[in-house]
Structures are given as structure tokens and as C-alpha cells.
Amino acid sequence: MSARKLETGIRQEQIALAALELVAGKGLNGLNMAELARQVGLVPSAIYRHYKNKDQVIDAILDLVKARLLDNILAVTAELPDLLDQLQAIMMRHLHLIHQTKGIPDIFFSEEVFQGSAARKAKAYDIIRDYLTKITELVRQGQQTGTVRADIAPDTVAIMFLGMIQSAVILWHLSEGSFDVFRHAENVWKLFSNSLLPPKIGENGK
Amino acid sequence: MSARKLETGIRQEQIALAALELVAGKGLNGLNMAELARQVGLVPSAIYRHYKNKDQVIDAILDLVKARLLDNILAVTAELPDLLDQLQAIMMRHLHLIHQTKGIPDIFFSEEVFQGSAARKAKAYDIIRDYLTKITELVRQGQQTGTVRADIAPDTVAIMFLGMIQSAVILWHLSEGSFDVFRHAENVWKLFSNSLLPPKIGENGK
DNA sequence: TGTACATCAGTGAACGCGCGTTCACTGATGTAC
DNA sequence: TGTACATCAGTGAACGCGCGTTCACTGATGTAC
């Protein structure tokens, strides 16, 4: 019983998607070529028609994750004008994305990425930098329009923003879901957004 | 050539310390029993005189990490009275600790922990919760003495605090050290500590 | 003080499993003529 | 419109390596008598 022949572009996407699913909860150690092949309805060796080796499958997953994260930002900025609304919406979308695609933190904090080759780490770092650059740019615009106080470094704000999301995700992940990430998001957003507001007139800056 | 006999308590500590060193940069995948034994001057099978299996070695590393993180907090609170000074000192010590013991993020974001068994994840979660509980308590005290604004949830502040450190560590780790974590710490501290200050008199709370 | 004995850390060879990867093959598909 | 051929996705058996773990053993050490 042979699987239907499909062109390599389609198979590559199927394989990457299946891999991202499989990684959820089990990590990359739990992703083996046999199971991955079964998931797509192929035999293990068939994977090698579409990817040179497991490393390239991992890279493909990273590309997938990158696209999803950045799409979030694009969708939000196209939709909302105000910077604070944008950041809040990005955070919520980001959390929902991870809630629904648990493989994302798993792949990011997998050993092949987090402790992988220099090239692999550089790839992950690039994704984060891309993300941060976009957030930084938004903050800068917010400063120009006066929504955000002008005396803070936009890139620092971006990293803080990412950290706020990351810590929530990590707690949620390690707690097996018992940590209420959305309730926390609400609280932490107040704290964070408040720290961005320009000082009121009459208040002493320092 | 036989290694000198040492009692199991001493060997356990030697092995855990060596394991924490070995894990640095390579992750738990890079930690194998053969290399670990060599590091301590033993033969692979000798490890099993002191630990039942690799899992128990990993648990021992986690215990080591937990102790170091919590010692930081204790040392700081014994030394400084003001809450904001305390938090800043804890952050700096935390960063220095990780700078000098790179294995800490490696073990925390290793697959055996981050995607490990429920028990393993629970253990890691407990360490973080312990840490957060202590920070939360400090913040609460700061609110009582009026150093920190009273209208924010102390546990949210604690998670934000941890997130600030985590994101810096992650960037530093993925960038292979090129991200200037200490310069970032200075900037982000201003932003964070500012958000904790009580509103000035005459300022509108909301 | 000396001897027999129990204890237990250290040894080295071997096992066995998981898993990524290779390779010669098959056969469906679309194209050239 | 029909036939020969090249292409290439899919197959299944086998390989080989890394590595955690077991086991029967040795021999140093401290204690009991």
C-alpha cells in the first residue's frame, strides 16, 4: 500500500506542519522521523525525499513559527491605530497563538535550538530580533505621537514587552496549564501600559 | 588504575557540580554518563553507585540551581533595607550568577525539564514559584512602607520582575553573548522601577 | 595489637534499544515524439 | 491519439552509532572480636 504521490512543495509543508504538532508537549526529543512520517501517511525514508535530514525539518518548523509570530503583528497594526491598543492586541494574539499551537514554546526552548549549533541559535535569535525590531518601531511611533513618554528607550520597552509575554508563557507551560495566563495578562498589562504613559503635567520627571 | 574511594555523599556533590558544568552550552543532550564520569575521574558505571540513573542526576542539578537562586535573595535581603535597592540587587546578582554558571538556563530550558515528565516540570515550576513567592513578599512589604504604589498586585509585579530577567537571559544566551545584558539591565531597571513608584501628590490615579 | 569479616566504591565488558539515515527498488505521472 | 521514456515520490530492509544501564568482579577500609 503506497501513499499517493504529491509534489515535494506540498509534502514539505505537510511535514513541517505535522512536525510542529508533534513537538507540542514532547519537545524535539519526542519528534522522531518514524512518527513524523506516520503522521503524514508516509514511510520514514520518504521524508528524505523532501528534506535532507532532521536538521532541515527543524529549520522548516522555525520558519513556520517565525511567519506566525510576525503575521500577528502585521494583522494588528493593519487593524488598530493607537499604539497601546496595538501592543495589547499583539500580546493577546501572541498568547492565543501559543495556547493553540503549543509546539511554539516547545520548539523555541528545545535543545536543538536553545543549545544547538551556532547557526541554529542565530536563526532563533534573528526571529526574536525581527519581532523586537517591529515592536521597537511601534513604540517609537507612539513616542512621536505623544502616546508614550519620550524619555525611555524604545528597544528597552520592546524587550520588556517580550519578557512580559515570555514569563507568562513559561509559567503556563511548566504549570501544565494551571497558571491562568489570561488573567495574568490582564493584570500585567495594566502595570506595563501604565509605565509607558507620559508624565502628567505638573509632575516632576525624575 | 582505580580511583580513590570516596563516600557517596561527596561523590554525589562532585557529580552534580560536574553535571552542571557540562550542561553549559551543550544542554542535557550533551551530558552523557561517560563524559560525566570522566569529569569526576570515575568510570561510567561508577556513577550508578551514587545515583540510580540519569534522571536522578538531573534532579540533583535542579536542586543545586534552586539553592543558588534562593541564596541570592537571602543574601540581598540580609544586606539591604530598601525594597527597590533589594530588587535591583537581586536582578544584578541573578544576572551575574547566570553569567558565571551558564548551565542554569541550559538546564531550565532543557527538554528533560521543559518538556519532561509531569513530576520534572512540577519540580521546575516549584522552584520558580518559590522564587516568585519571595519576591511577592518583598513587594508587599514595600507597599506597606510606602515605597511601592499600593494599587498593583504584588504577585503580578513579581512575575514581571522575573520576566524582565528571563528575557534578558534568553537574548543573551541566543546571541552567544553579543547581547549586552548588563547595559540592558540598567535601562530596563529604570523603566521597571519607575512603574512601581507611588503616584506623586496631585497626580490623577487613573 | 592482630586477624577475620562485612561493607561498599570502583571496574570493565557487554547488552540492548532507539533512531537517524542509506540504498536499491518500484511504479505512477507527465512529456516528447 | 498512442507509445516509449525520463522523472521522481514512495517503499522496506538494513545499517550503525550513541549511550544509558547491568552485572559479576575486585580490593580498600573500618570494625568486631
Side-chain angles (χ1 to χ4, degrees), chain B residues 12-77:
Chain B
Q12 280 176 345
E13 198 183 344
Q14 288 181 342
I15 292 167
L17 284 169
L20 181 55
E21 284 294 314
L22 275 177
V23 135
K26 300 181 302 177
L28 272 180
N29 280 344
L31 174 71
N32 61 71
M33 302 303 259
E35 178 65 19
L36 177 56
R38 199 173 311 132
Q39 217 52 229
V40 188
L42 292 176
V43 110
S45 57
I47 303 287
Y48 294 83
R49 293 276 161 249
H50 310 292
Y51 288 100
K52 198 184 158 222
N53 51 33
K54 192 178 179 183
D55 265 358
Q56 295 211 349
V57 175
I58 295 171
D59 280 336
I61 307 179
L62 273 180
D63 289 334
L64 216 56
V65 169
K66 174 175 187 170
R68 300 217 174 160
L69 286 174
L70 297 185
D71 281 355
N72 261 353
I73 299 182
L74 283 181
V76 166
T77 52

Side-chain angles (χ1 to χ4, degrees), chain A residues 58-124:
Chain A
I58 295 171
D59 280 337
I61 307 179
L62 274 179
D63 289 335
L64 216 56
V65 169
K66 175 176 186 169
R68 300 218 175 160
L69 286 174
L70 296 185
D71 281 354
N72 260 353
I73 298 182
L74 283 180
V76 166
T77 52
E79 183 183 305
L80 295 169
D82 178 70
L83 172 86
L84 286 183
D85 293 343
Q86 284 175 347
L87 288 184
Q88 187 175 16
I90 290 171
M91 175 176 76
M92 294 313 290
R93 268 173 177 264
H94 192 140
L95 292 177
H96 277 107
L97 172 64
I98 285 168
H99 190 261
Q100 140 195 8
T101 310
K102 300 200 175 57
I104 294 178
D106 284 298
I107 182 86
F108 242 100
F109 296 118
S110 70
E111 304 204 352
E112 267 83 1
V113 174
F114 204 68
Q115 288 106 6
S117 66
R120 183 62 54 63
K121 283 167 80 170
K123 184 166 185 137

Side-chain angles (χ1 to χ4, degrees), chain B residues 131-200:
Chain B
Y131 189 96
L132 288 176
T133 302
K134 291 199 165 44
I135 302 291
T136 301
E137 190 47 39
L138 289 179
V139 173
R140 204 186 316 265
Q141 287 171 19
Q143 287 180 324
Q144 279 165 6
T145 61
T147 320
V148 174
R149 57 191 304 163
D151 63 345
I152 53 185
D155 55 337
T156 301
V157 175
I159 297 176
M160 187 92 183
F161 176 75
L162 185 59
M164 175 172 71
I165 297 176
Q166 270 174 348
S167 60
V169 168
I170 289 170
L171 285 170
W172 179 68
H173 180 96
L174 286 178
S175 74
E176 308 265 18
S178 82
F179 174 74
D180 188 340
V181 72
F182 292 105
R183 201 173 77 79
H184 171 70
E186 231 176 273
N187 289 331
V188 82
W189 174 254
K190 285 181 207 153
L191 186 59
F192 178 75
S193 60
N194 203 50
S195 73
L196 299 187
L197 296 179
K200 302 282 189 308

Side-chain angles (χ1 to χ4, degrees), chain A residues 161-183:
Chain A
F161 176 75
L162 184 60
M164 177 171 71
I165 297 174
Q166 270 174 348
S167 60
V169 168
I170 289 170
L171 284 169
W172 178 69
H173 180 98
L174 285 178
S175 75
E176 308 265 18
S178 81
F179 174 75
D180 188 340
V181 71
F182 292 105
R183 202 173 75 81

Side-chain angles (χ1 to χ4, degrees), chain A residues 5 31-33 45 48-49 53-54:
Chain A
K5 273 183 152 182
L31 173 72
N32 61 71
M33 302 301 262
S45 56
Y48 293 83
R49 293 274 161 251
N53 50 34
K54 193 178 179 182

